[in-house]
PDB file of all heavy atoms in Angstrom:
ATOM      1  N   ASP A  14      66.030  40.375  77.898  1.00 92.00           N
ATOM      2  CA  ASP A  14      64.762  40.873  78.505  1.00 92.00           C
ATOM      3  C   ASP A  14      65.198  41.969  79.582  1.00 92.00           C
ATOM      4  O   ASP A  14      64.538  43.070  79.796  1.00 92.00           O
ATOM      5  CB  ASP A  14      63.889  39.864  79.150  1.00 92.00           C
ATOM      6  CG  ASP A  14      64.678  39.074  80.248  1.00 92.00           C
ATOM      7  OD1 ASP A  14      65.974  38.980  80.094  1.00 92.00           O
ATOM      8  OD2 ASP A  14      64.091  38.631  81.170  1.00 92.00           O
ATOM      9  N   VAL A  15      66.350  41.803  80.157  1.00 92.00           N
ATOM     10  CA  VAL A  15      66.785  42.792  81.242  1.00 92.00           C
ATOM     11  C   VAL A  15      67.322  43.981  80.519  1.00 92.00           C
ATOM     12  O   VAL A  15      67.038  45.206  80.958  1.00 92.00           O
ATOM     13  CB  VAL A  15      68.121  42.222  81.947  1.00 92.00           C
ATOM     14  CG1 VAL A  15      68.622  43.313  82.932  1.00 92.00           C
ATOM     15  CG2 VAL A  15      67.515  40.981  82.827  1.00 92.00           C
ATOM     16  N   LYS A  18      64.279  46.132  79.642  1.00 92.00           N
ATOM     17  CA  LYS A  18      63.797  46.900  80.785  1.00 92.00           C
ATOM     18  C   LYS A  18      64.705  48.039  81.144  1.00 92.00           C
ATOM     19  O   LYS A  18      64.170  49.054  81.564  1.00 92.00           O
ATOM     20  CB  LYS A  18      63.684  45.875  81.921  1.00 92.00           C
ATOM     21  CG  LYS A  18      62.651  44.893  81.743  1.00 92.00           C
ATOM     22  CD  LYS A  18      62.521  43.922  83.103  1.00 92.00           C
ATOM     23  CE  LYS A  18      61.371  42.927  82.911  1.00 92.00           C
ATOM     24  NZ  LYS A  18      61.172  42.019  84.035  1.00 92.00           N
ATOM     25  N   CYS A  19      65.977  47.854  81.051  1.00 93.00           N
ATOM     26  CA  CYS A  19      66.865  48.967  81.218  1.00 93.00           C
ATOM     27  C   CYS A  19      66.743  50.092  80.231  1.00 93.00           C
ATOM     28  O   CYS A  19      66.743  51.270  80.794  1.00 93.00           O
ATOM     29  CB  CYS A  19      68.402  48.477  81.157  1.00 93.00           C
ATOM     30  SG  CYS A  19      68.893  47.386  82.514  1.00 93.00           S
ATOM     31  N   ARG A  21      63.814  50.780  78.625  1.00 92.00           N
ATOM     32  CA  ARG A  21      62.655  51.524  79.017  1.00 92.00           C
ATOM     33  C   ARG A  21      62.908  52.465  80.257  1.00 92.00           C
ATOM     34  O   ARG A  21      62.258  53.491  80.305  1.00 92.00           O
ATOM     35  CB  ARG A  21      61.536  50.447  79.244  1.00 92.00           C
ATOM     36  CG  ARG A  21      61.020  49.763  77.992  1.00 92.00           C
ATOM     37  CD  ARG A  21      59.641  49.156  78.271  1.00 92.00           C
ATOM     38  NE  ARG A  21      59.970  48.045  79.183  1.00 92.00           N
ATOM     39  CZ  ARG A  21      60.116  46.743  78.773  1.00 92.00           C
ATOM     40  NH1 ARG A  21      60.259  46.489  77.536  1.00 92.00           N
ATOM     41  NH2 ARG A  21      60.277  45.704  79.620  1.00 92.00           N
ATOM     42  N   ALA A  22      63.760  52.102  81.180  1.00 92.00           N
ATOM     43  CA  ALA A  22      64.097  52.866  82.279  1.00 92.00           C
ATOM     44  C   ALA A  22      65.087  53.973  82.050  1.00 92.00           C
ATOM     45  O   ALA A  22      65.502  54.706  83.010  1.00 92.00           O
ATOM     46  CB  ALA A  22      64.468  51.966  83.530  1.00 92.00           C
ATOM     47  N   LEU A  24      68.258  53.588  81.288  1.00 91.00           N
ATOM     48  CA  LEU A  24      69.464  53.121  81.852  1.00 91.00           C
ATOM     49  C   LEU A  24      70.332  52.514  80.785  1.00 91.00           C
ATOM     50  O   LEU A  24      70.076  51.416  80.232  1.00 91.00           O
ATOM     51  CB  LEU A  24      69.371  52.096  83.065  1.00 91.00           C
ATOM     52  CG  LEU A  24      68.389  52.460  84.122  1.00 91.00           C
ATOM     53  CD1 LEU A  24      68.103  51.307  85.139  1.00 91.00           C
ATOM     54  CD2 LEU A  24      68.868  53.739  84.967  1.00 91.00           C
ATOM     55  N   GLU A  35      69.510  48.973  95.467  1.00 92.00           N
ATOM     56  CA  GLU A  35      68.820  47.713  95.024  1.00 92.00           C
ATOM     57  C   GLU A  35      67.274  48.013  94.985  1.00 92.00           C
ATOM     58  O   GLU A  35      66.569  47.523  94.081  1.00 92.00           O
ATOM     59  CB  GLU A  35      69.018  46.693  96.054  1.00 92.00           C
ATOM     60  CG  GLU A  35      70.566  46.078  96.043  1.00 92.00           C
ATOM     61  CD  GLU A  35      70.659  45.025  97.059  1.00 92.00           C
ATOM     62  OE1 GLU A  35      69.846  44.889  97.980  1.00 92.00           O
ATOM     63  OE2 GLU A  35      71.748  44.290  96.936  1.00 92.00           O
ATOM     64  N   VAL A  36      66.706  48.887  95.903  1.00 92.00           N
ATOM     65  CA  VAL A  36      65.395  49.103  95.952  1.00 92.00           C
ATOM     66  C   VAL A  36      64.991  49.968  94.775  1.00 92.00           C
ATOM     67  O   VAL A  36      63.849  49.708  94.133  1.00 92.00           O
ATOM     68  CB  VAL A  36      64.979  49.982  97.194  1.00 92.00           C
ATOM     69  CG1 VAL A  36      63.502  50.364  97.155  1.00 92.00           C
ATOM     70  CG2 VAL A  36      65.196  49.092  98.457  1.00 92.00           C
ATOM     71  N   GLU A  37      65.737  50.911  94.360  1.00 92.00           N
ATOM     72  CA  GLU A  37      65.518  51.714  93.155  1.00 92.00           C
ATOM     73  C   GLU A  37      65.438  50.867  91.921  1.00 92.00           C
ATOM     74  O   GLU A  37      64.587  51.008  91.049  1.00 92.00           O
ATOM     75  CB  GLU A  37      66.521  52.831  93.020  1.00 92.00           C
ATOM     76  CG  GLU A  37      66.324  53.992  94.096  1.00 92.00           C
ATOM     77  CD  GLU A  37      67.597  54.888  94.015  1.00 92.00           C
ATOM     78  OE1 GLU A  37      68.637  54.514  93.765  1.00 92.00           O
ATOM     79  OE2 GLU A  37      67.238  56.147  94.217  1.00 92.00           O
ATOM     80  N   LEU A  38      66.430  49.971  91.793  1.00 93.00           N
ATOM     81  CA  LEU A  38      66.584  49.091  90.624  1.00 93.00           C
ATOM     82  C   LEU A  38      65.241  48.053  90.688  1.00 93.00           C
ATOM     83  O   LEU A  38      64.862  47.793  89.438  1.00 93.00           O
ATOM     84  CB  LEU A  38      67.935  48.371  90.620  1.00 93.00           C
ATOM     85  CG  LEU A  38      69.083  49.163  90.243  1.00 93.00           C
ATOM     86  CD1 LEU A  38      70.321  48.388  90.419  1.00 93.00           C
ATOM     87  CD2 LEU A  38      68.929  49.847  88.911  1.00 93.00           C
ATOM     88  N   MET A  39      64.891  47.602  91.699  1.00 92.00           N
ATOM     89  CA  MET A  39      63.797  46.758  91.768  1.00 92.00           C
ATOM     90  C   MET A  39      62.469  47.418  91.199  1.00 92.00           C
ATOM     91  O   MET A  39      61.735  46.876  90.439  1.00 92.00           O
ATOM     92  CB  MET A  39      63.544  46.361  93.217  1.00 92.00           C
ATOM     93  CG  MET A  39      64.575  45.301  93.768  1.00 92.00           C
ATOM     94  SD  MET A  39      64.273  44.927  95.492  1.00 92.00           S
ATOM     95  CE  MET A  39      62.762  44.079  95.512  1.00 92.00           C
ATOM     96  N   LYS A  40      62.395  48.719  91.549  1.00 92.00           N
ATOM     97  CA  LYS A  40      61.182  49.450  91.045  1.00 92.00           C
ATOM     98  C   LYS A  40      61.304  49.853  89.536  1.00 92.00           C
ATOM     99  O   LYS A  40      60.452  49.693  88.675  1.00 92.00           O
ATOM    100  CB  LYS A  40      61.011  50.771  91.867  1.00 92.00           C
ATOM    101  CG  LYS A  40      60.607  50.540  93.264  1.00 92.00           C
ATOM    102  CD  LYS A  40      60.453  51.842  93.983  1.00 92.00           C
ATOM    103  CE  LYS A  40      60.073  51.695  95.524  1.00 92.00           C
ATOM    104  NZ  LYS A  40      60.014  53.006  96.224  1.00 92.00           N
ATOM    105  N   LEU A  41      62.590  50.296  89.210  1.00 93.00           N
ATOM    106  CA  LEU A  41      62.735  50.728  87.858  1.00 93.00           C
ATOM    107  C   LEU A  41      62.691  49.436  86.897  1.00 93.00           C
ATOM    108  O   LEU A  41      62.143  49.745  85.739  1.00 93.00           O
ATOM    109  CB  LEU A  41      64.070  51.331  87.674  1.00 93.00           C
ATOM    110  CG  LEU A  41      64.220  52.756  88.188  1.00 93.00           C
ATOM    111  CD1 LEU A  41      65.732  53.249  88.220  1.00 93.00           C
ATOM    112  CD2 LEU A  41      63.369  53.760  87.358  1.00 93.00           C
ATOM    113  N   LEU A  42      63.226  48.349  87.207  1.00 93.00           N
ATOM    114  CA  LEU A  42      63.399  47.200  86.237  1.00 93.00           C
ATOM    115  C   LEU A  42      62.291  46.163  86.556  1.00 93.00           C
ATOM    116  O   LEU A  42      62.203  45.181  85.714  1.00 93.00           O
ATOM    117  CB  LEU A  42      64.742  46.592  86.435  1.00 93.00           C
ATOM    118  CG  LEU A  42      65.881  47.497  86.167  1.00 93.00           C
ATOM    119  CD1 LEU A  42      67.231  46.743  86.396  1.00 93.00           C
ATOM    120  CD2 LEU A  42      65.826  48.099  84.793  1.00 93.00           C
ATOM    121  N   ASP A  43      61.425  46.327  87.587  1.00 92.00           N
ATOM    122  CA  ASP A  43      60.359  45.406  87.872  1.00 92.00           C
ATOM    123  C   ASP A  43      61.051  43.930  88.123  1.00 92.00           C
ATOM    124  O   ASP A  43      60.497  43.037  87.398  1.00 92.00           O
ATOM    125  CB  ASP A  43      59.272  45.403  86.794  1.00 92.00           C
ATOM    126  CG  ASP A  43      57.975  44.569  87.260  1.00 92.00           C
ATOM    127  OD1 ASP A  43      57.787  44.434  88.433  1.00 92.00           O
ATOM    128  OD2 ASP A  43      57.370  44.165  86.262  1.00 92.00           O
ATOM    129  N   LEU A  44      61.992  43.948  88.907  1.00 92.00           N
ATOM    130  CA  LEU A  44      62.746  42.635  89.073  1.00 92.00           C
ATOM    131  C   LEU A  44      62.784  42.414  90.636  1.00 92.00           C
ATOM    132  O   LEU A  44      62.558  43.230  91.413  1.00 92.00           O
ATOM    133  CB  LEU A  44      64.240  42.768  88.579  1.00 92.00           C
ATOM    134  CG  LEU A  44      64.357  42.870  87.090  1.00 92.00           C
ATOM    135  CD1 LEU A  44      65.819  43.033  86.750  1.00 92.00           C
ATOM    136  CD2 LEU A  44      63.806  41.695  86.246  1.00 92.00           C
ATOM    137  N   GLY A  45      62.914  41.173  90.950  1.00 92.00           N
ATOM    138  CA  GLY A  45      63.130  40.713  92.335  1.00 92.00           C
ATOM    139  C   GLY A  45      64.464  41.009  92.765  1.00 92.00           C
ATOM    140  O   GLY A  45      65.418  41.376  92.195  1.00 92.00           O
ATOM    141  N   LEU A  46      64.631  40.884  94.224  1.00 91.00           N
ATOM    142  CA  LEU A  46      65.874  41.237  94.845  1.00 91.00           C
ATOM    143  C   LEU A  46      67.016  40.370  94.304  1.00 91.00           C
ATOM    144  O   LEU A  46      68.088  40.884  93.996  1.00 91.00           O
ATOM    145  CB  LEU A  46      65.768  41.091  96.255  1.00 91.00           C
ATOM    146  CG  LEU A  46      67.064  41.386  97.081  1.00 91.00           C
ATOM    147  CD1 LEU A  46      67.566  42.885  96.864  1.00 91.00           C
ATOM    148  CD2 LEU A  46      66.891  41.201  98.625  1.00 91.00           C
ATOM    149  N   GLU A  48      67.286  38.941  91.382  1.00 92.00           N
ATOM    150  CA  GLU A  48      67.525  39.233  89.961  1.00 92.00           C
ATOM    151  C   GLU A  48      68.369  40.522  89.942  1.00 92.00           C
ATOM    152  O   GLU A  48      69.234  40.754  89.060  1.00 92.00           O
ATOM    153  CB  GLU A  48      66.274  39.343  89.192  1.00 92.00           C
ATOM    154  CG  GLU A  48      65.547  38.040  88.999  1.00 92.00           C
ATOM    155  CD  GLU A  48      64.206  38.257  88.363  1.00 92.00           C
ATOM    156  OE1 GLU A  48      63.329  38.973  88.950  1.00 92.00           O
ATOM    157  OE2 GLU A  48      63.931  37.620  87.387  1.00 92.00           O
ATOM    158  N   VAL A  49      67.958  41.588  90.785  1.00 92.00           N
ATOM    159  CA  VAL A  49      68.654  42.792  90.781  1.00 92.00           C
ATOM    160  C   VAL A  49      70.155  42.601  91.248  1.00 92.00           C
ATOM    161  O   VAL A  49      71.028  43.265  90.642  1.00 92.00           O
ATOM    162  CB  VAL A  49      67.967  43.756  91.696  1.00 92.00           C
ATOM    163  CG1 VAL A  49      68.864  44.928  92.075  1.00 92.00           C
ATOM    164  CG2 VAL A  49      66.717  44.269  91.016  1.00 92.00           C
TER     165      VAL A  49
END
Side-chain angles (χ1 to χ4, degrees):
D14 61 329
V15 175
K18 290 182 178 182
C19 289
R21 288 194 292 269
L24 305 175
E35 292 178 346
V36 175
E37 290 174 321
L38 289 174
M39 289 171 67
K40 292 180 179 179
L41 286 170
L42 302 178
D43 190 26
L44 295 174
L46 179 59
E48 294 171 304
V49 163

